[in-house]
């Protein structure tokens, strides 16, 4: 067994996070609070652009910009040339998804807990190309059933595309087990790590995925409007992106062009470099803490919240599934009006979110889920903050 990581210094994590001074932030699955370093990195670059010009600031920051690719690669145990910088998780996810060579009769296999943005893209592909979108059943723990996945494989399966962590619950899908099935059958495997990047260690070789997407704003604690797409080099060489510009390809003659050989073929020339440099700083911070330590801290405090909700809030029901759970805690509150509850919490300086049924429609319908409140925790959250939330939720 590997040694346990050193525990997170919560006091230092809070001191590094300006937002902790003013509120209780339990909306990290929406957008987590940045560190002072991430915030300063963005501001410094914007000020540099204002002083010397945008193009010139980019040139002056060539080494830090390359460092973003290096940092994301270290986060995933991939290569910098396999990383493309994006404006969001969905931008990278859709670009990879639509760039596959779909044909009528192809099959796409996915999860019951799939996120709305992903699933409507699947349905759009079905409408355009006549593919079949099929849901792999859950096992008894609410996770994707790997044995059922194996039985669904045939020569028409073009893609296995799943979320690592769903938006509407704390379960962690068995991504590496899915990867073993995909590799055994030579099927392309796309992993949406939007909710896992930054709170769970990710090793693309251990997982066995061919492509992985994530956003900056969630558990990575980076800026909004940032994200990345990782594509395995062997797969890169087989995919022609559905859209390109003159940064993704070299215009070699009036009638020809040549795609870049690396993941830059998925990028566009114009980027918000201040935000992306902030993303790099956020990834560096996560790596400095250590993802195993981050995971352990988040799991510990999230399980504490689940227990407190169950034991101390009479009308609270926790709806998280899975043998392995993470920092997303979803619960209902009987017949209480959740927007009213959320507003009252916010008036007390406590941030949570409410999940619409459409964010994970299949799971909502299959489990007949009521409206859900989501509290998502990070390393800087404390047991005192849980006390505040439980007290504020007391129906008495």
């Amino acid at each position: 067994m590997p040694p346990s990581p050193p525990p997170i210094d919560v006091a230092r994590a809070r001191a590094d996070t300006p937002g902790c001074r003013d509120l209780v932030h339990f909306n990290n699955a929406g957008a987590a609070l940045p560190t002072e370093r991430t915030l300063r990195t963005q501001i410094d670059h914007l000020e540099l652009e204002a002083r010397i010009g945008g193009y010139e600031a980019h040139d002056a920051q060539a080494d830090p910009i390359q460092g973003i690719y290096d940092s994301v690669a270290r986060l995933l145990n991939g290569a910098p040339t396999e990383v493309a910088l994006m404006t969001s998780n969905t931008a990278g996810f859709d670009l990879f998804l639509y760039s596959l060579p779909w044909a009528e009769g192809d099959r796409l296999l996915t999860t019951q807990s799939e996120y709305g943005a992903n699933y409507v893209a699947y349905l759009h592909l079905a409408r355009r190309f006549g593919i079949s979108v099929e849901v792999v059943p859950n096992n008894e723990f609410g996770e994707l059933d790997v044995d059922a996945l194996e039985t669904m494989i045939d020569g028409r399966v073009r893609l296995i595309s799943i979320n690592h962590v769903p938006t509407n619950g704390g379960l962690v899908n068995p991504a590496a087990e899915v990867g073993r099935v995909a590799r055994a059958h030579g099927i392309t495997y796309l992993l949406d790590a939007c909710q896992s990047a930054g709170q769970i260690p990710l090793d693309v070789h251990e997982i066995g995925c061919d492509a992985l997407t994530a956003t900056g704003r969630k558990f990575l604690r980076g800026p909004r409007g940032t994200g990345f797409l990782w594509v395995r080099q062997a797969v890169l060489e087989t995919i022609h992106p559905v859209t390109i510009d003159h940064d993704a390809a070299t215009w070699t003659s009036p009638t020809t062009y040549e795609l870049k050989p690396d993941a830059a073929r998925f990028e566009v020339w114009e980027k918000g470099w201040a935000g992306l440099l902030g993303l790099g700083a956020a990834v560096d911070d996560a790596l400095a803490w250590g993802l195993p330590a981050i995971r352990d801290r988040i799991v510990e405090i999230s399980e504490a919240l689940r227990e407190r909700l169950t034991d101390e809030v009479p009308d609270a029901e926790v709806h998280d599934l899975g043998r392995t759970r993470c920092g997303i805690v979803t619960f209902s509150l009987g017949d209480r009006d959740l927007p009213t509850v959320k507003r009252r919490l916010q008036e007390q300086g406590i941030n949570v979110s409410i999940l619409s049924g459409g964010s994970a429609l299949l799971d909502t319908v299959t489990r007949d889920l009521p409206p859900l409140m989501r509290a998502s925790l990070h390393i800087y959250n404390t047991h005192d903050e849980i006390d505040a939330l439980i007290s504020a939720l007391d129906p008495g």
Side-chain angles (χ1 to χ4, degrees):
M1 293 288 291
S4 298
I8 294 290
D9 182 340
V10 178
R12 180 164 70 86
R14 292 179 64 80
D16 289 343
T17 307
C20 288
R21 301 167 198 154
D22 303 315
L23 54 84
V24 174
H25 190 68
F26 288 143
N27 192 16
N28 297 289
L33 299 176
T35 65
E36 181 69 38
R37 178 170 176 263
T38 295
L39 178 62
R40 179 50 51 190
T41 297
Q42 297 173 78
I43 292 171
D44 286 349
H45 188 75
L46 290 173
E47 290 178 342
L48 183 64
E49 288 185 339
R51 288 198 307 272
I52 69 172
Y55 286 21
E56 293 75 11
H58 173 272
D59 292 343
Q61 294 285 81
D63 288 342
I65 285 171
Q66 178 56 47
I68 307 167
Y69 296 88
D70 298 339
S71 295
V72 172
R74 285 196 294 127
L75 181 75
L76 304 177
N77 192 28
T81 54
E82 296 172 321
V83 174
L85 299 179
M86 295 285 150
T87 57
S88 68
N89 182 86
T90 299
F93 188 91
D94 282 357
L95 185 53
F96 183 84
L97 185 70
Y98 286 112
S99 297
L100 293 174
W102 296 102
E104 186 173 358
D106 284 346
R107 300 171 64 212
L108 185 157
L109 305 183
T110 189
T111 63
Q112 179 181 297
S113 60
E114 201 65 5
Y115 182 53
N118 299 354
Y119 210 90
V120 295
Y122 304 155
L123 295 177
H124 188 50
L125 288 172
R127 183 177 296 181
R128 288 185 63 195
F129 297 111
I131 72 167
S132 173
V133 180
E134 301 173 36
V135 176
V136 181
N138 286 345
N139 63 18
E140 62 188 294
F141 305 103
E143 308 152 352
L144 179 144
D145 189 326
V146 178
D147 292 335
L149 171 66
E150 181 73 53
T151 67
M152 296 174 71
I153 300 297
D154 66 15
R156 294 186 298 117
V157 177
R158 169 73 65 184
L159 180 70
I160 299 170
S161 180
I162 73 166
N163 66 78
H164 197 187
V165 171
T167 190
N168 68 330
L171 78 84
V172 180
N173 271 313
E177 289 83 350
V178 171
R180 284 193 280 275
V181 174
R183 288 197 304 274
H185 295 277
I187 296 170
T188 304
Y189 173 25
L190 170 61
L191 182 66
D192 177 354
C194 189
Q195 295 287 13
S196 57
Q199 69 158 325
I200 296 172
L202 297 172
D203 183 326
V204 290
H205 300 293
E206 181 179 308
I207 292 170
C209 56
D210 297 296
L212 179 149
T213 60
T215 187
R217 65 183 161 89
K218 296 180 183 287
F219 289 93
L220 280 171
R221 306 177 63 188
R224 298 195 70 173
T226 65
F228 55 82
L229 164 66
W230 173 89
V231 183
R232 189 178 302 280
Q233 184 62 44
V235 175
L236 271 173
E237 297 164 1
T238 69
I239 295 184
H240 193 303
V242 68
T243 62
I244 61 172
D245 70 5
H246 64 298
D247 192 50
T250 301
W251 192 11
T252 54
S253 82
T255 59
T256 61
Y257 66 90
E258 184 175 334
L259 281 172
K260 286 186 174 177
D262 56 17
R265 65 175 55 189
F266 287 100
E267 293 190 351
V268 294
W269 183 80
E270 180 61 21
K271 301 179 183 70
W273 286 112
L276 289 169
L277 286 163
L279 171 65
V283 172
D284 287 342
D285 284 342
L287 291 168
W289 284 112
L291 272 299
I294 291 173
R295 174 201 57 208
D296 290 354
R297 169 64 182 169
I298 290 176
V299 167
E300 179 268 320
I301 196 164
S302 300
E303 288 298 339
L305 175 58
R306 291 185 183 99
E307 291 177 11
R308 297 283 303 277
L309 286 167
T310 300
D311 294 344
E312 300 178 38
V313 181
D315 58 348
E317 181 179 356
V318 175
H319 293 273
D320 300 332
L321 303 175
R323 287 169 290 184
T324 302
R325 297 192 292 194
C326 62
I328 298 176
V329 180
T330 55
F331 56 97
S332 55
L333 291 170
D335 59 0
R336 283 197 258 178
D337 180 66
L338 294 190
T340 299
V341 175
K342 178 186 174 184
R343 185 176 64 254
R344 289 174 177 168
L345 289 173
Q346 199 159 25
E347 288 170 353
Q348 298 175 62
I350 302 172
N351 290 344
V352 295
S353 61
I354 298 172
L355 296 171
S356 69
S359 63
L361 183 63
L362 295 183
D363 195 45
T364 299
V365 171
T366 302
R367 291 203 279 152
D368 192 24
L369 290 172
L372 296 179
M373 183 159 283
R374 183 178 71 183
S376 45
L377 288 72
H378 217 305
I379 60 172
Y380 46 71
N381 291 125
T382 66
H383 291 276
D384 287 345
E385 290 181 326
I386 291 178
D387 289 343
L389 175 62
I390 296 299
S391 177
L393 290 174
D394 186 346

